[in-house]
Every structure is written in structure tokens, then in C-alpha cells.
Amino acid sequence: METALVVRTFFFVVFGPSIVITSLLNLKVSLISLRIINSIYTIRFVIWKVFEVNDILPRLFVAPRGLLTVLLFYAIREEAQIVNFESGFLLFIIISTSLIMTWAMLKDKKKINPPTEEIAKEYTGQNSQQETLPTQQ
């Protein structure tokens, strides 16, 4: 848990100063980012269908972008970088995919019983079975 916190903190310290929040309001950034997000989910859908997975929800939407995306972005060699590339693309994609993933997980959680309820049912069932067993004296 502590390691994850340190990694997330490092992520925000490294990526934070390069973020320009106003780039999220740029129509060009929004449209291009939406196309990229659409392609991510379209490719994932096709892959899940090719492998004949019947129940693809919420797996389709669990496509997080974040630390790895930023690290790969900063690993691009200088000669391969695009001039005037806005980091707003990354921010828009990271925020959008995180929100979509959260929505899908919450929607799916409503369909299934949480594990704690299943464990409680099993525990209650075991206790009632133990109470009905005759005891040897």
C-alpha cells in the first residue's frame, strides 16, 4: 500500500507541472482525445469478440491509462517528439478512461453480490449446520 502511494505521488510530482488545465477546454484536444478513446474501446471490443468472450462487461471498460502512459510519454526520444504536442491529450485520456472505468465498475457492482455478503451467507450457513449437528458427550 505504501509503495503504491509513493508511486502515485511520484506520478503527480512528475506529470503535474507539465499539465495545462486550460488545454482541456481546447476543442481540438477534446476531439482528438475522444477519437483516441473511441479507438481504445473499439479495439478492445474487437479483441474480446475474437476470443469469443460472452460477458465482456465491465472488462471492456477496464482500460486504465495513467502512470504507464505518462512514463512512456516522457521516455520518447527528443528526435521522435512532435513539436507543440499538448499534454492535454494525455490528461483528457487519463481522466476520461478513469471515469469510464469507474462508471463500469460501479454499474457491474450493482449486478453482483459483493464478496462480503457471500462470505456472510456462507458463515451463517456453516453456523446453522454446526448448531443442528448432534454433539457427542
Side-chain angles (χ1 to χ4, degrees), residues 12 14 17 40 76-77 79 130:
F12 287 112
V14 169
I40 289 170
I76 297 173
R77 293 174 299 171
E79 59 270 6
Q130 289 175 356

Side-chain angles (χ1 to χ4, degrees), residues 40-132:
I40 289 170
Y41 290 118
T42 302
I43 291 168
R44 287 180 63 84
F45 178 78
V46 169
I47 289 172
W48 284 116
K49 283 300 180 181
V50 165
F51 289 105
E52 299 179 23
V53 176
N54 294 329
D55 186 25
I56 62 173
L57 296 177
R59 283 182 261 172
L60 174 65
F61 297 110
V62 179
R65 302 287 173 258
L67 179 61
L68 184 61
T69 305
V70 172
L71 291 176
L72 289 173
F73 173 70
Y74 283 117
I76 297 173
R77 293 174 299 171
E78 190 172 322
E79 59 270 6
Q81 291 180 0
I82 299 171
V83 181
N84 298 328
F85 179 81
E86 294 192 41
S87 62
F89 292 119
L90 292 175
L91 182 62
F92 193 95
I93 292 169
I94 290 168
I95 290 173
S96 299
T97 56
S98 296
L99 290 173
I100 292 168
M101 183 175 61
T102 302
W103 169 79
M105 298 298 278
L106 289 174
K107 185 177 177 186
D108 190 61
K109 186 177 180 182
K110 292 177 184 176
K111 292 192 306 186
I112 60 172
N113 289 334
T116 53
E117 289 180 16
E118 293 174 13
I119 292 169
K121 286 178 185 177
E122 288 179 21
Y123 179 74
T124 308
Q126 288 175 356
N127 281 345
S128 63
Q129 289 175 358
Q130 289 175 356
E131 290 173 3
T132 58

Side-chain angles (χ1 to χ4, degrees), residues 3 9 11 35 72 90 102 107 133:
T3 305
T9 303
F11 164 73
R35 287 182 185 166
L72 289 173
L90 292 175
T102 302
K107 185 177 177 186
L133 293 175

